[in-house]
Amino acid sequence: MKHSELQSPLKSIKMRQRKNGSSIKHPNLSDAEAKSQKKSPYSLKDVFLTCLGFRMLNALLIQTYFNPDEHWQALEVAHRIAFGYGHLTWEWEEGIRSYLHPMMFALFYKLLALLRLDIPCVMIKAPRLLQSIFSAVGDLYLYKLSFVLFGDGVAKWALFSQLANWFMFFCFNRTFSNSLETTLTLVGLYYWPSVRSSLNKAPSGSRKWGLALAALACAIRPTSAVTWVSVVLGITCLLDRLMYDSWVLVPLNFLKFNFLSSGGDYYGTHKWHWYFTQGFTVMVFTFLPFCVAGIIKSKYWKLSGLILWVLGLYSILGHKEFRFVLPVLPISLIFVGYSLAALDERDSRNGAKKRSSCICNKWPSRKQLAIFFLLASNIPMALYMSLIHQRGTEDAMNYLSKEAAKGKVKSIVFLMPCHATPYYSTLHNNLPMRFLDCTPNKGMPTESDRFMMDPVSFAVDFAKNWSHPSHIVLFDSEERHLKDFLISHSFREVRRFFHAHFKVDRDLQASVVVYAD
């Protein structure tokens, strides 16, 4: 048996000849998998290492701020657990967040501290590098799931689509619970029997793995129950009992707040059709026509129905965000892989006909045009969003972290909308810091709201009770109003960081400015 036949993207197994000359099949592989594994030229190890290298580079390239939850609901909580200081937002007081996800980063922080690597440059980059390992596992299982369902031709193009998609590049390596939820969803779907066709049965015992992974996804982020209608592992209840110091049913509180009481609407609402007309279509981006074509050609309604189910159920909620439906984006890209594989097969047949008739064609094939179109549209988008758009708040905190390590920062006040920057998890220095509170208060305007309505009046009143900070951080859009206030309190500009070329949900915040006394 050739070496290439031994390396399967499903699971590498050694096949030895026995007394009767027959080969032994691994007991956990179905007949369909055992037959199809010989057709793949790629090994599981090669696929994973390629994905890991790509995702680690991806993690290093992400230098922008996307959503506060990446820092405030994961790393900030983990930093508090590991080092004893860090801010807990109101959600933790209400018991609607589980400690299971931030605990992984807390253990990682502890390891860095033990190795004496908890220095500014490492603390800034290391969490996303850790996330890159989880992301690479998700990429691997996308390949494995595609391979089991449709074969190697579709699997390699589905993996290409996942790696090339701008939103996966931009979001998958961020430390959101949604990112880990996406990986667990892909692994769980691979082991879930009902996803496969009757001719391609799941390995024995896979239902238990699928159930366990689905439960873990629900434990990390309760909204994963939209995808996995399953039980939540008891371990998360025990962990939350330990951390909250009382019995707290986080999934129940989370679902009550977000689904039953529409508490998430405080952060803004969208039309019911937003995911279909804007949100998810922007995420899929130029892969959309290939996705639709793949769904129609494959007629695999189990997976396409799952996408529709998730988008439809999330559409009921008033508050909508791109990352909420991240777990079904890779599933859509599997259908893109199906469509590209069909083009590949068609081009191969046409190529064979042309060679047989001695006709030379200098024009690129349809597959080549499709690949060029996808890369040319997604790579610039991925790089712009990851390297340029909204990077000022991260750059400002990275700068302050290094200055604090040198003893040049004593205290910081953020005169800007709440949660607009990373916090102690990036600064990694137990200095007094103050940001404008935005805890929901039954329709009453928060500190952040009042500041945005009248920056000057708020700042004057705020300064009456502050302990004079050494640094103030604000956007240039508010700086215009507060210039006289800053000068009167002996502050001067020390650094200015580019932030964005266009506005997102407020006035254009073109730069972030750091003032010092």
Side-chain angles (χ1 to χ4, degrees), residues 55 58 62-67 70 128 162-163 165-176 179 322 326 381-390:
R55 289 302 176 194
N58 184 178
I62 295 176
Q63 300 176 32
T64 55
Y65 197 81
F66 175 32
N67 183 281
E70 179 184 7
R128 285 172 181 160
Q162 172 124 317
L163 298 180
N165 177 263
W166 83 271
F167 195 82
M168 292 300 291
F169 189 95
F170 172 66
C171 185
F172 201 20
N173 267 354
R174 295 180 185 272
T175 53
F176 293 120
S179 301
F322 293 101
L326 181 64
M381 184 79 159
L383 293 177
Y384 179 81
M385 296 299 292
S386 300
L387 288 169
I388 300 173
H389 181 60
Q390 295 192 143

Side-chain angles (χ1 to χ4, degrees), residues 294-334:
I295 290 173
I296 295 172
K297 289 180 180 179
S298 68
K299 299 180 180 179
Y300 208 86
W301 308 122
K302 291 180 181 179
L303 283 184
S304 56
L306 178 61
I307 298 171
L308 186 62
W309 161 259
V310 171
L311 295 181
L313 204 55
Y314 273 110
S315 294
I316 297 174
L317 300 178
H319 179 58
K320 300 174 176 66
E321 293 186 29
F322 293 101
R323 61 191 175 91
F324 290 172
V325 294
L326 181 64
V328 294
L329 178 57
I331 300 172
S332 302
L333 299 176
I334 292 177

Side-chain angles (χ1 to χ4, degrees), residues 392 474-477 479 496-500 508-513:
L474 69 168
F475 286 112
D476 66 317
S477 53
E479 179 198 25
R496 184 178 296 264
F497 300 94
F498 167 79
H499 187 62
L508 173 61
Q509 297 164 332
S511 59
V512 177
V513 194

Side-chain angles (χ1 to χ4, degrees), residues 193-349:
S194 62
V195 173
R196 308 189 185 200
S197 66
S198 58
L199 298 177
N200 194 358
K201 297 180 180 179
S204 60
S206 67
R207 185 183 296 275
K208 295 178 182 178
W209 279 107
L211 185 62
L213 291 162
L216 181 58
C218 294
I220 288 173
R221 187 167 179 84
T223 50
S224 192
V226 172
T227 307
W228 296 105
V229 183
S230 181
V231 297
V232 177
L233 289 179
I235 190 173
T236 186
C237 295
L238 295 175
L239 177 61
D240 291 329
R241 170 66 178 84
L242 176 65
M243 300 304 297
Y244 280 112
D245 208 23
S246 63
W247 287 107
V248 176
L249 295 177
V250 170
L252 179 61
N253 293 342
F254 189 94
L255 294 174
K256 282 171 61 178
F257 179 81
N258 287 285
F259 284 84
L260 302 181
S261 68
S262 300
D265 291 1
Y266 170 78
Y267 296 103
T269 60
H270 298 81
K271 298 290 186 181
W272 70 266
H273 54 75
W274 183 80
Y275 282 119
F276 295 96
T277 57
Q278 297 177 58
F280 196 64
T281 53
V282 169
M283 294 165 66
V284 182
F285 201 43
T286 51
F287 288 91
L288 183 59
F290 300 94
C291 174
V292 174
I295 290 173
I296 295 172
K297 289 180 180 179
S298 68
K299 299 180 180 179
Y300 208 86
W301 308 122
K302 291 180 181 179
L303 283 184
S304 56
L306 178 61
I307 298 171
L308 186 62
W309 161 259
V310 171
L311 295 181
L313 204 55
Y314 273 110
S315 294
I316 297 174
L317 300 178
H319 179 58
K320 300 174 176 66
E321 293 186 29
F322 293 101
R323 61 191 175 91
F324 290 172
V325 294
L326 181 64
V328 294
L329 178 57
I331 300 172
S332 302
L333 299 176
I334 292 177
F335 290 109
V336 175
Y338 191 97
S339 183
L340 292 176
L343 282 178
D344 199 7
E345 185 178 349
R346 180 174 180 177
D347 288 342
S348 298
R349 289 199 304 266

Side-chain angles (χ1 to χ4, degrees), residues 411-413 415 432-434 436 447 450 457-469 485 489:
S411 60
I412 308 171
V413 166
L415 291 180
M433 292 202 293
R434 176 77 158 84
L436 304 183
E447 278 188 341
R450 288 187 282 119
S457 296
F458 179 89
V460 170
D461 291 338
F462 187 74
K464 293 177 182 178
N465 299 313
W466 73 9
S467 179
H468 195 83
F485 167 83
H489 285 78

Side-chain angles (χ1 to χ4, degrees), residues 119-130:
I119 56 178
C121 61
V122 176
M123 293 294 291
I124 291 166
K125 296 293 184 183
R128 285 172 181 160
L129 286 172
L130 175 62

Side-chain angles (χ1 to χ4, degrees), residues 4-13 15 25-26 29-42 147:
S4 60
E5 294 176 339
L6 301 180
Q7 303 300 317
S8 167
L10 300 172
K11 190 165 185 177
S12 181
I13 58 173
M15 309 286 283
K25 180 174 75 68
H26 193 284
L29 291 178
S30 66
D31 291 336
E33 290 173 328
K35 291 178 182 178
S36 63
Q37 66 176 335
K38 297 182 180 181
K39 300 177 183 178
S40 175
Y42 311 110
F147 183 87

